[in-house]
Structures are given as C-alpha cells and as structure tokens.
Amino acid sequence: MDALLDLLRGTVTSPWVYLLIFGLTAVDAFFPAVPGEAAVITAGVLAASDGHPSLTLVIVSAAIGALVGDHISYAIGRGGGAHRLARLPDGSRRRASSEWARRAVDRRGGIILTTSRYVPGGRTAVTLTMGAVRYPRRAFLLYDSIGAVTWALYCGLLGYFGGLAFERDPVKGVLVGVGLSVAVTFGLEGIRWLRRRAHRRPADRR
C-alpha cells in the first residue's frame, strides 16, 4: 500500500496529472467503465494531504474534460444514435436507460442533463438521447456547463475533505470519498426507481 501511495504521489506532482484527469473524465462521459470520478476524488484527497496536485486545477481539468466528453456523446447521438438506441434489445439495461433518458428529456430537458451527470450510466444515456432527438446545441452547452462544473466541484471537494479527515491515512480518505460518491449514485438511482414505480401503479389500475 505504501508503494501504491508513493506511485500516486509521484504521478500527481507531475503537470501531466491534469491532462490525465482531463482525459479520464472526458472518456468517462461516453464510456462509463473509465474511473473518471474516482480519479478526481483521489486527486482531491492527495491535494489535501500535501498540496499536490492543485485542487483548483484538478477541478478545472475535470470540468473541462466532462464538458468535452459530454459533447462527444451528444455528437455520437446526433450522428445516428437514434438508430442505435432503436436496435437495443428489449428488456436490456441499456434499453431501459435510454427509454428513461428520452422520457426525461421530453419532460424536463436541461434540468435532467445537470442532475444526470451524477449518475455514470444515466449521464451517458441522457447525452446520447439529447443528440439523437436534436436537442438545441446552445441549450445543451448551457445546462451541460452547469452540470460539469458542479460535478467537478462535488468530486474534488469530496476528495479534499476526505483527505483532511484522514490526513494520516490517505487511503482511507480515498475509500471514504469514493464510498460516499457511490452512495450518492445509488441513492439517486433508488429515488428514480421509486418514482418510476409510483408512476406505474396508477397506470396499472386503469
């Protein structure tokens, strides 16, 4: 574990760390398997423990990366995403996510874009769907900027305060930060599931 911490500290003292954060958060926006969120939280923890990297630059890099990645996802959706979504198998998780995203975009538009950024699979489904339904680019940029900046602040500060709380044991700070992030994600997913179930009940009684 000490060797891992030494490796992380050696990485974060390099200016390339900001490019790495940018790249991870950008790819994470349209390929959720990439640990962009965990990378930002980890950088925040290390920023609290020894001042490297700069928390401000971590947040800026993460916000720009998220914004760029979301626009790539939007472009993918706009360039034929509707046909890809239609070919998803019925009953699959991706089909369910895309159908939820389409309904959410129709009802609440930009507001759902800002909130979906906190749900890894949800944000990808929403940005793809917005591209597929030709959601206005200017409105997308506005709401996505709000979502990307608030998400970067949330992840960076979550890691930073986790690092302050566990200054002598940065690994615990990382685990607590990532754990809280996962808890928030599952909490949002749970609320979404309960609301969807509540809407289904009146429809089933008809």
Coordinates of all heavy atoms in Angstrom, one line a residue, residues 139-181:
A139 N -28.6 25.3 -25.8 CA -29.2 24.9 -24.5 C -28.4 23.8 -23.9 O -28.2 23.7 -22.7 CB -30.7 24.5 -24.7
F140 N -28.0 22.9 -24.7 CA -27.2 21.7 -24.2 C -25.9 22.3 -23.6 O -25.5 21.8 -22.5 CB -26.8 20.8 -25.4 CG -26.1 19.6 -25.0 CD1 -26.7 18.4 -24.5 CD2 -24.7 19.6 -25.1 CE1 -26.0 17.3 -24.1 CE2 -23.9 18.4 -24.7 CZ -24.6 17.3 -24.2
L141 N -25.2 23.2 -24.3 CA -24.0 23.8 -23.8 C -24.2 24.4 -22.4 O -23.4 24.3 -21.5 CB -23.4 24.7 -24.8 CG -22.1 25.5 -24.3 CD1 -21.0 24.6 -24.0 CD2 -21.7 26.5 -25.4
L142 N -25.3 25.2 -22.3 CA -25.5 25.9 -21.1 C -25.8 25.0 -19.9 O -25.1 25.1 -18.9 CB -26.8 26.8 -21.3 CG -27.3 27.5 -20.0 CD1 -26.3 28.5 -19.5 CD2 -28.6 28.2 -20.3
Y143 N -26.7 24.1 -20.1 CA -27.0 23.2 -19.0 C -25.9 22.2 -18.7 O -25.6 21.8 -17.5 CB -28.3 22.4 -19.3 CG -29.5 23.2 -19.2 CD1 -30.2 23.6 -20.3 CD2 -30.0 23.6 -17.9 CE1 -31.4 24.4 -20.2 CE2 -31.2 24.3 -17.8 CZ -31.9 24.8 -18.9 OH -33.0 25.5 -18.8
D144 N -25.2 21.8 -19.7 CA -24.1 20.8 -19.5 C -22.9 21.5 -18.8 O -22.2 20.9 -18.0 CB -23.6 20.3 -20.9 CG -22.7 19.1 -20.7 OD1 -23.0 18.2 -19.9 OD2 -21.6 19.0 -21.3
S145 N -22.7 22.8 -19.1 CA -21.6 23.6 -18.4 C -21.9 23.6 -16.9 O -21.1 23.4 -16.1 CB -21.5 25.0 -18.9 OG -21.1 24.9 -20.3
I146 N -23.2 23.9 -16.6 CA -23.6 23.9 -15.1 C -23.4 22.5 -14.5 O -22.8 22.4 -13.4 CB -25.1 24.3 -15.0 CG1 -25.3 25.7 -15.5 CG2 -25.6 24.2 -13.6 CD1 -26.7 26.2 -15.6
G147 N -23.8 21.5 -15.2 CA -23.6 20.2 -14.6 C -22.2 19.8 -14.5 O -21.8 19.2 -13.5
A148 N -21.3 20.1 -15.5 CA -19.9 19.7 -15.5 C -19.2 20.4 -14.3 O -18.4 19.8 -13.6 CB -19.3 20.0 -16.8
V149 N -19.4 21.7 -14.2 CA -18.7 22.5 -13.2 C -19.2 22.0 -11.7 O -18.3 21.8 -10.9 CB -19.0 24.0 -13.3 CG1 -18.5 24.8 -12.1 CG2 -18.3 24.5 -14.6
T150 N -20.5 21.9 -11.5 CA -20.9 21.5 -10.2 C -20.4 20.0 -9.9 O -20.1 19.8 -8.7 CB -22.4 21.5 -10.1 OG1 -23.1 20.7 -11.1 CG2 -22.9 23.0 -10.2
W151 N -20.4 19.2 -10.9 CA -19.9 17.8 -10.7 C -18.4 17.8 -10.3 O -18.0 17.1 -9.4 CB -20.2 16.9 -11.9 CG -19.6 15.6 -11.9 CD1 -20.1 14.5 -11.3 CD2 -18.3 15.2 -12.4 NE1 -19.3 13.4 -11.5 CE2 -18.2 13.8 -12.2 CE3 -17.4 15.8 -13.2 CZ2 -17.1 13.1 -12.6 CZ3 -16.3 15.1 -13.6 CH2 -16.1 13.8 -13.3
A152 N -17.7 18.6 -11.0 CA -16.2 18.7 -10.7 C -16.0 19.2 -9.3 O -15.1 18.7 -8.6 CB -15.5 19.5 -11.8
L153 N -16.7 20.2 -9.0 CA -16.6 20.8 -7.6 C -17.0 19.7 -6.6 O -16.3 19.6 -5.5 CB -17.5 22.0 -7.4 CG -17.0 23.3 -8.0 CD1 -18.2 24.3 -8.1 CD2 -15.9 23.9 -7.2
Y154 N -18.0 19.0 -6.8 CA -18.5 18.0 -5.9 C -17.4 16.9 -5.7 O -17.1 16.5 -4.6 CB -19.8 17.4 -6.4 CG -20.2 16.0 -6.0 CD1 -20.6 15.8 -4.7 CD2 -20.0 14.9 -6.8 CE1 -20.9 14.5 -4.3 CE2 -20.4 13.6 -6.4 CZ -20.8 13.4 -5.1 OH -21.2 12.2 -4.7
C155 N -16.9 16.4 -6.8 CA -15.9 15.3 -6.7 C -14.6 15.8 -6.1 O -14.0 15.1 -5.2 CB -15.6 14.7 -8.1 SG -17.0 13.8 -8.8
G156 N -14.1 17.0 -6.5 CA -12.9 17.5 -6.0 C -13.0 17.8 -4.5 O -12.1 17.4 -3.7
L157 N -14.1 18.5 -4.1 CA -14.2 18.8 -2.7 C -14.5 17.6 -1.8 O -14.1 17.5 -0.6 CB -15.3 19.8 -2.5 CG -15.0 21.2 -3.1 CD1 -16.2 22.1 -3.0 CD2 -13.8 21.9 -2.4
L158 N -15.2 16.6 -2.4 CA -15.4 15.4 -1.6 C -14.1 14.7 -1.3 O -13.9 14.3 -0.2 CB -16.3 14.4 -2.5 CG -16.8 13.2 -1.8 CD1 -17.8 13.5 -0.6 CD2 -17.6 12.3 -2.8
G159 N -13.2 14.6 -2.3 CA -11.9 14.1 -2.0 C -11.1 14.9 -1.1 O -10.4 14.4 -0.2
Y160 N -11.2 16.2 -1.3 CA -10.4 17.1 -0.4 C -10.7 17.0 1.0 O -9.8 16.9 1.9 CB -10.6 18.6 -0.9 CG -9.7 19.6 -0.2 CD1 -8.3 19.7 -0.5 CD2 -10.2 20.4 0.8 CE1 -7.5 20.6 0.1 CE2 -9.4 21.3 1.5 CZ -8.1 21.4 1.1 OH -7.3 22.3 1.8
F161 N -12.0 17.1 1.3 CA -12.4 17.0 2.7 C -12.2 15.6 3.3 O -12.0 15.4 4.5 CB -13.9 17.4 2.9 CG -14.1 18.9 2.7 CD1 -14.8 19.5 1.7 CD2 -13.5 19.8 3.7 CE1 -14.9 20.8 1.5 CE2 -13.6 21.2 3.5 CZ -14.3 21.7 2.5
G162 N -12.3 14.6 2.4 CA -12.0 13.2 2.9 C -10.5 13.1 3.2 O -10.1 12.5 4.2
G163 N -9.6 13.8 2.4 CA -8.2 13.9 2.7 C -7.9 14.6 4.0 O -7.0 14.2 4.8
L164 N -8.6 15.7 4.3 CA -8.4 16.4 5.6 C -8.9 15.6 6.8 O -8.2 15.6 7.8 CB -9.3 17.7 5.5 CG -8.8 18.8 4.6 CD1 -9.7 20.0 4.7 CD2 -7.4 19.3 4.9
A165 N -9.9 14.8 6.6 CA -10.4 14.0 7.7 C -9.5 12.8 8.0 O -9.4 12.4 9.2 CB -11.8 13.5 7.4
F166 N -8.8 12.3 7.0 CA -7.9 11.2 7.2 C -6.5 11.6 6.7 O -5.9 10.9 5.8 CB -8.4 10.0 6.4 CG -9.7 9.5 6.9 CD1 -10.9 9.9 6.2 CD2 -9.8 8.6 8.0 CE1 -12.2 9.4 6.7 CE2 -11.1 8.2 8.4 CZ -12.2 8.6 7.8
E167 N -6.0 12.7 7.2 CA -4.7 13.2 6.8 C -3.6 12.3 6.9 O -2.6 12.2 6.1 CB -4.4 14.5 7.5 CG -3.3 15.3 6.9 CD -3.2 16.7 7.6 OE1 -4.0 17.0 8.4 OE2 -2.2 17.4 7.2
R168 N -3.6 11.4 8.0 CA -2.6 10.5 8.3 C -2.7 9.2 7.5 O -1.8 8.4 7.5 CB -2.5 10.2 9.8 CG -2.1 11.4 10.6 CD -2.0 11.1 12.0 NE -1.6 12.2 12.9 CZ -1.4 12.2 14.2 NH1 -1.6 11.0 14.8 NH2 -1.1 13.2 14.8
D169 N -3.9 9.0 6.9 CA -4.1 7.8 6.1 C -4.9 8.1 4.9 O -6.1 8.0 4.8 CB -4.9 6.8 7.0 CG -4.9 5.4 6.4 OD1 -4.5 5.2 5.2 OD2 -5.3 4.4 7.1
P170 N -4.2 8.6 3.8 CA -4.8 9.0 2.6 C -5.7 7.9 1.9 O -6.7 8.2 1.3 CB -3.7 9.4 1.7 CG -2.6 9.7 2.6 CD -2.7 8.8 3.8
V171 N -5.3 6.6 2.1 CA -6.0 5.5 1.5 C -7.5 5.5 2.0 O -8.4 5.3 1.3 CB -5.4 4.2 1.8 CG1 -6.2 3.0 1.3 CG2 -4.0 4.1 1.1
K172 N -7.6 5.7 3.4 CA -9.0 5.8 3.9 C -9.7 7.0 3.4 O -10.9 6.9 3.1 CB -8.9 5.9 5.5 CG -8.5 4.6 6.2 CD -8.6 4.8 7.7 CE -8.2 3.4 8.4 NZ -8.3 3.6 9.8
G173 N -9.0 8.1 3.2 CA -9.7 9.2 2.6 C -10.2 8.9 1.2 O -11.3 9.3 0.8
V174 N -9.4 8.2 0.4 CA -9.9 7.9 -1.0 C -11.1 6.9 -0.9 O -12.1 7.1 -1.6 CB -8.7 7.2 -1.8 CG1 -9.3 6.6 -3.1 CG2 -7.6 8.2 -2.0
L175 N -11.0 5.9 0.0 CA -12.1 4.9 0.1 C -13.4 5.6 0.6 O -14.5 5.3 0.1 CB -11.7 3.8 1.1 CG -10.5 2.9 0.6 CD1 -10.2 1.9 1.7 CD2 -10.9 2.2 -0.7
V176 N -13.2 6.5 1.6 CA -14.4 7.2 2.1 C -15.0 8.1 1.0 O -16.2 8.1 0.8 CB -14.1 8.1 3.3 CG1 -15.2 9.0 3.7 CG2 -13.8 7.1 4.5
G177 N -14.2 8.8 0.3 CA -14.7 9.7 -0.8 C -15.4 8.9 -1.9 O -16.5 9.3 -2.3
V178 N -14.8 7.8 -2.4 CA -15.4 7.0 -3.4 C -16.6 6.3 -2.9 O -17.7 6.3 -3.6 CB -14.4 5.9 -3.9 CG1 -15.1 5.0 -4.9 CG2 -13.2 6.6 -4.6
G179 N -16.6 5.9 -1.6 CA -17.8 5.3 -1.0 C -18.9 6.2 -0.9 O -20.1 5.8 -1.2
L180 N -18.7 7.5 -0.5 CA -19.8 8.5 -0.5 C -20.3 8.7 -1.9 O -21.5 8.9 -2.1 CB -19.3 9.8 0.2 CG -19.0 9.7 1.7 CD1 -18.4 11.0 2.1 CD2 -20.4 9.5 2.4
S181 N -19.4 8.8 -2.9 CA -19.9 9.0 -4.2 C -20.8 7.9 -4.7 O -21.8 8.1 -5.3 CB -18.6 9.2 -5.1 OG -19.0 9.3 -6.5

